[in-house]
């Protein structure tokens, strides 16, 4: 644990102080998913935060599949964000264990384990540290099925990694590297926006027969609290969700950014602008139809993500929607994203696509 | 099979052969299985371990099969070279000639339940694991009958039922995978081991040490086999490695330096390593070997080493010649019979090439298959779901 504390620095302090403020409740972003509703109706729900939802999902994954394993740096101790608390005690140190600090080795090892028909759930402590494993993910995991003519695969592989800003994480604890992986056919990239979503999407990702990179919004680990069904449930991958209906402009985002976008939608409504908000959830293969249908209705599109704007996944969405909805668009597609700089330490508030930046872009797009 | 009977008639002595696959059945007389003891060419050198004995037990049958298998591998690689130059094989192609003793010696010591995973110089390991010449040549030429349906090519041969986890394209990246395989073996208590192979170039990759550490930490039955052919692409080992004693590179992990040009030494070392790994965890085997070809087809192989060096190794250490001498000195076959074997092997290779050329290219729709599981991702439409139509010119 000591080594991880060194790496994580002040995070435990940050998280608790955020928690201390009472946080933002993301209950407003509740899902329309039937399965979730039935879970809520049957009464088996509890208000929990995002890391507890992830923890529940991992418990279920290990419990329901004796060939599932969870490993990563400090995972045996509960992990730096407490997502794996209790797993080693319950399922044993042979299925839940710590690895050395070697991301490339971890993922390579996980691919091999998955290739033998196991569910390898690897944790990369921070998405910023996923780059040493980039080669393993891109060249080994993603292409294994293809290049072996379907003889082998590592479909049981799920790589979990906390991503995104957290207040003052600085250069190497704040990045959003999702776009790098969206350039790689053969893997899926999934990002949940809330505890409910995290549990259902993580279980889907673990059980999906393709390798999945699952980014968890670390800012929401403690901050987001929501009623989460206690049962085992899955949410479909590659299905976007309209979480707020509107008629003037479509907003597309994922993960932690959605709560910021929702705030902007609420503000815009005060000015009489009706915003439709879509959670993409799965970035590849992504649900173009839902976004297309929405933009055909509203005639305007705004994409927002924390990662730098250039070559961010927003660019892909913009290009695809322009191809499909060119004649329906009333204004250029707007991208409100991170700046093209390294993720800054002290200038984080300037870097981030904040509520006001989004609100501004909504207005200028609608008034184009 | 008609060929087989015809051939059996031409051979009065132990040497006879069946076609099409490396480990084929032979008609042998009773003396063929009686053991012979042979000294390895060089003693083993151990790192933190007592090396095994130099005396290797073998049989006439084994020596003759070593000869045949290695001759087949050599011929396959020479033929691949010609096919590449004739532009029938495209892309990258890395040849194994010179290193055959590692492939056959290793196979002789282990079973198909043991796993092998290697890098891109994978043709001969594939044959050793029970792959056929047709699968190999068809894959090299990107045809449907290839072992990876023509979608892998030279660098990506696989044979699931033979425990061959394949050819991997990124230097060193297969070694952590091998540790994952070994973990699964240990977890399921099936008493098998994984041979994770890499070259002297890959020995300097960081992830190798990560894999080694995990393997040692968890006592995995992983055997790291460094095929030291002394050149990482075009760079001599001493230019790339502070310590080219790769068997010592594991520090806390024991190692063994083996004459990788001597199939019997390789067999002895692999047998020893398997027993060791099952009891104690990982071990490194450094196979001192040599590739006659350049690194890949774009490397003539003569710019960073002298022709004298290559011809010197051919004369003094060639793995096939060594076995030939052993067979002759023990009077197990005549020189003519061995020559005949080589002719047969040549014919087999030519037949396989002819067959492979007849094999069609993979269906155009294969461009989009196996990216995701059918029905659970995108199948025929690439990453752009329901958008691209797979109609190729």
């Amino acid at each position: 644990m000591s080594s991880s504390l060194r790496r994580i620095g002040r995070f435990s302090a940050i998280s608790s102080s955020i928690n201390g403020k009472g946080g933002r409740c993301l209950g407003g972003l509740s899902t329309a998913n039937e399965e979730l509703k039935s879970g809520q109706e049957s009464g088996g729900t509890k208000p929990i935060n995002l890391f507890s939802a992830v923890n529940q999902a991992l418990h279920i994954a290990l419990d329901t599949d004796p060939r599932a394993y969870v490993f990563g740096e400090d995972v045996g101790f509960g992990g730096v964000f407490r997502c794996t608390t209790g797993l080693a005690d319950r399922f044993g140190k042979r299925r839940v264990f710590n690895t050395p600090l070697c991301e490339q080795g971890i993922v390579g090892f996980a691919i091999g384990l998955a290739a033998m028909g196991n569910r390898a759930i690897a944790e990369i402590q921070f998405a910023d540290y996923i780059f040493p494993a980039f080669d393993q993910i891109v060249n080994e995991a993603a292409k294994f099925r293809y290049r072996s003519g379907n003889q082998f695969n590592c479909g049981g592989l799920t790589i979990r990694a906390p991503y995104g800003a957290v207040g003052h994480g600085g250069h190497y604890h704040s990045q959003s590297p999702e776009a790098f992986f969206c350039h790689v056919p053969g893997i899926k990239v999934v990002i949940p926006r809330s505890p409910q979503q995290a549990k259902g999407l993580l279980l889907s990702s673990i059980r999906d027969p393709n390798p999945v990179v699952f980014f968890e919004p670390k800012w929401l680990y403690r901050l987001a609290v929501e009623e989460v069904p206690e049962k085992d449930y899955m949410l479909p991958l590659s299905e976007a969700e309209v979480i707020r209906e509107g008629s003037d402009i479509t907003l597309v985002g994922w993960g932690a950014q959605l709560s910021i976008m929702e705030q902007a939608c609420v503000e815009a409504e005060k000015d009489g602008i009706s915003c439709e908000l879509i959670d993409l959830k799965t970035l590849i293969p992504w649900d173009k139809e839902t976004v297309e249908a929405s933009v055909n209705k509203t005639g305007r599109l705004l994409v927002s993500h924390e990662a730098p704007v250039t070559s961010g996944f927003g660019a892909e969405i913009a290009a695809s929607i322009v191809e499909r909805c060119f004649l329906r668009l009333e204004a250029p597609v707007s991208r409100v994203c991170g700046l093209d700089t390294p993720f800054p330490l002290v200038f984080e508030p300037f870097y981030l696509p904040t509520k006001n930046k989004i609100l501004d872009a909504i207005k200028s797009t609608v008034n184009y | 099979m008609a060929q087989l009977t015809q051939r059996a008639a031409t051979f009065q002595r132990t040497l006879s052969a069946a076609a099409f696959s490396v480990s084929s059945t032979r008609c042998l007389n009773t003396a063929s299985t009686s053991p012979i003891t042979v000294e390895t060419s060089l003693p083993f050198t151990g790192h933190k371990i007592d090396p095994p004995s130099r005396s290797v037990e073998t049989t006439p049958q084994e020596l003759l099969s070593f000869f045949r298998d290695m001759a087949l591998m050599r011929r396959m690689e020479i033929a691949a070279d010609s096919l590449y130059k004739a532009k029938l094989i495209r892309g990258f192609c890395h040849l194994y000639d010179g290193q055959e003793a590692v492939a056959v010696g290793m196979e002789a010591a282990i079973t198909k339940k043991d796993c092998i995973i290697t890098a891109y110089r994978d043709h001969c390991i594939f044959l050793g694991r029970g792959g056929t010449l047709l699968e190999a040549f068809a894959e090299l030429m990107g045809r449907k009958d290839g072992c990876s349906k023509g979608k892998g090519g030279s660098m990506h041969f696989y044979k699931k039922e033979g425990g061959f986890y394949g050819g991997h394209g990124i230097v060193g990246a297969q070694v952590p995978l091998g540790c994952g395989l070994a973990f699964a073996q240990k977890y399921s208590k099936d008493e098998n081991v994984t041979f994770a192979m890499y070259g002297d170039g890959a020995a300097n990759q960081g992830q190798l040490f990560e894999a080694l550490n995990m393997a040692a930490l968890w006592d995995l039955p992983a055997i790291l086999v460094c095929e030291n052919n002394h050149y990482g692409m075009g760079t001599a080992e001493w230019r790339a490695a502070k310590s080219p004693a790769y068997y010592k590179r594991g520090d806390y992990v024991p190692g063994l330096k083996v004459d990788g040009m001597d199939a019997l030494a390789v067999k002895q070392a692999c047998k020893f390593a398997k027993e060791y790994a099952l009891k104690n965890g990982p071990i490194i085997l450094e196979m001192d070997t040599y590739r006659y070809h350049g690194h890949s087809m774009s490397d003539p192989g003569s710019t960073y080493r002298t022709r004298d060096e290559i011809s010197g190794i051919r004369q003094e250490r060639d793995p096939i010649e060594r076995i030939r001498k052993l067979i002759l000195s023990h009077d197990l076959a005549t020189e003519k019979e061995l020559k005949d074997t080589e002719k047969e092997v040549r014919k087999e290779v030519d037949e396989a090439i002819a067959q492979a050329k007849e094999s069609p290219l993979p269906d155009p729709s294969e461009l989009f298959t196996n990216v995701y599981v059918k029905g659970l991702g995108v199948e025929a439409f690439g990453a752009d779901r329901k958008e691209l139509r797979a109609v190729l010119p």
Side-chain angles (χ1 to χ4, degrees), chain A residues 69 95 98 100 102 104-105 116 135-136 139-140 145-147 149-152 187-188 210 288-289, chain B residues 147-149 158 160 165 168 170 173 177 187 207 210 213-214 218 367 369-370 372-373 376 384 387:
Chain A
Y69 304 81
R95 293 179 64 199
N98 290 337
C102 54
Q104 192 174 16
M116 293 285 256
D135 171 58
Q136 285 289 350
N139 283 322
E140 300 296 332
R145 186 187 299 280
Y146 191 82
R147 70 183 141 101
N150 207 26
Q151 283 189 75
F152 288 99
I187 54 172
K188 295 187 177 184
N210 295 295
K288 280 184 193 176
E289 287 71 22
Chain B
C147 53
S148 307
K149 297 182 190 163
Y158 299 85
K160 190 168 192 177
Y165 279 75
H168 293 257
I170 302 295
L177 272 69
Y187 194 85
Q207 54 184 325
E210 301 181 11
N213 183 40
M214 286 192 277
W218 302 325
L367 177 57
T369 59
N370 309 139
Y372 295 103
V373 172
L376 286 160
D384 276 323
E387 183 159 20

Side-chain angles (χ1 to χ4, degrees), chain B residues 251-309:
Chain B
D251 183 14
Y252 44 84
V253 173
L256 203 60
K257 186 169 180 173
V258 184
D259 179 3
M261 302 298 265
D262 178 352
L264 291 168
V266 173
K267 177 184 126 178
Q268 183 88 331
C270 290
K271 195 165 155 256
F272 174 83
K274 181 176 172 178
E275 281 165 19
Y276 177 88
L278 282 173
K279 275 194 216 118
N280 308 298
I283 178 171
I284 296 178
L285 298 180
E286 180 186 346
M287 303 289 183
D288 180 354
T289 184
Y290 201 82
R291 66 166 148 75
Y292 295 143
H293 264 93
H295 165 71
S296 70
M297 299 314 295
S298 54
D299 167 21
S302 53
T303 50
Y304 46 86
R305 54 186 187 179
T306 61
R307 292 193 188 279
D308 286 351
E309 178 185 304

Side-chain angles (χ1 to χ4, degrees), chain B residues 80-101:
Chain B
D81 179 272
S82 313
L83 289 170
Y84 195 92
K85 284 170 181 156
K87 300 197 174 177
L88 280 159
I89 299 174
R90 309 309 302 265
F92 281 79
C93 184
H94 307 82
L95 303 177
Y96 201 72
D97 51 321
Q99 302 182 204
E100 297 93 340

Side-chain angles (χ1 to χ4, degrees), chain A residues 66-67 69 71 91 94-95 97-113 115-116 118 132 135-136 139-140 142-153 182 184-188 208-211 238-239 284-289 316 320 323-324, chain B residues 115 117 139 147-149 151-153 156 158-161 163-185 187 190 205-207 210-211 213-214 217-218 220 366-373 376-378 382-387:
Chain A
R67 302 191 71 177
Y69 304 81
F71 48 90
F91 300 100
R94 288 189 175 80
R95 293 179 64 199
F97 46 92
N98 290 337
T99 61
L101 306 191
C102 54
E103 288 74 14
Q104 192 174 16
I106 293 169
V107 175
F109 169 87
I111 296 168
L113 186 57
M116 293 285 256
N118 300 300
D135 171 58
Q136 285 289 350
N139 283 322
E140 300 296 332
K143 300 165 176 62
F144 208 3
R145 186 187 299 280
Y146 191 82
R147 70 183 141 101
S148 67
N150 207 26
Q151 283 189 75
F152 288 99
N153 68 80
C182 292
V184 186
I187 54 172
K188 295 187 177 184
D208 190 275
N210 295 295
S238 291
E239 243 185 65
I284 53 162
W286 63 289
D287 184 353
K288 280 184 193 176
E289 287 71 22
E316 177 59 38
S320 299
E323 277 170 9
R324 289 175 170 228
Chain B
C115 300
I117 188 163
E139 191 59 45
C147 53
S148 307
K149 297 182 190 163
K151 292 170 79 168
H156 305 296
Y158 299 85
K159 187 148 191 79
K160 190 168 192 177
E161 63 277 20
F164 180 42
Y165 279 75
H168 293 257
I170 302 295
V171 171
Q174 73 282 4
V175 180
L177 272 69
C179 292
L181 301 177
F183 180 90
Q185 288 172 322
Y187 194 85
D190 58 6
Q205 275 269 328
Q207 54 184 325
E210 301 181 11
N213 183 40
M214 286 192 277
L217 195 62
W218 302 325
L220 303 182
E366 286 286 321
L367 177 57
F368 299 100
T369 59
N370 309 139
V371 179
Y372 295 103
V373 172
L376 286 160
V378 284
D384 276 323
R385 225 156 42 109
K386 300 170 192 166
E387 183 159 20

Side-chain angles (χ1 to χ4, degrees), chain A residues 121-176:
Chain A
I121 307 164
E123 178 180 303
I124 299 295
Q125 199 169 57
F126 282 88
D128 310 64
Y129 299 152
I130 207 165
F131 298 111
F134 195 60
D135 171 58
Q136 285 289 350
I137 297 168
V138 173
N139 283 322
E140 300 296 332
K143 300 165 176 62
F144 208 3
R145 186 187 299 280
Y146 191 82
R147 70 183 141 101
S148 67
N150 207 26
Q151 283 189 75
F152 288 99
N153 68 80
C154 55
L157 172 68
T158 304
I159 300 164
R160 295 176 41 242
Y163 89 97
V166 70
H168 47 266
H171 311 78
Y172 297 110
H173 294 89
S174 310
Q175 294 175 79
S176 303

Side-chain angles (χ1 to χ4, degrees), chain A residues 274-327:
Chain A
S274 161
C275 301
E276 180 144 311
L277 182 58
I278 296 178
D279 180 5
L280 211 51
K281 298 188 197 181
T282 304
L283 270 62
I284 53 162
W286 63 289
D287 184 353
K288 280 184 193 176
E289 287 71 22
T290 299
V291 180
E292 182 186 3
S294 173
V295 175
N296 277 335
K297 181 176 77 177
T298 62
R300 296 175 190 88
L301 175 64
L302 180 151
V303 191
S304 180
H305 55 67
E306 278 180 24
V309 61
T310 299
S311 286
F313 195 64
E316 177 59 38
I317 296 173
S320 299
I321 293 305
V322 168
E323 277 170 9
R324 289 175 170 228
C325 312
F326 185 68
L327 295 174

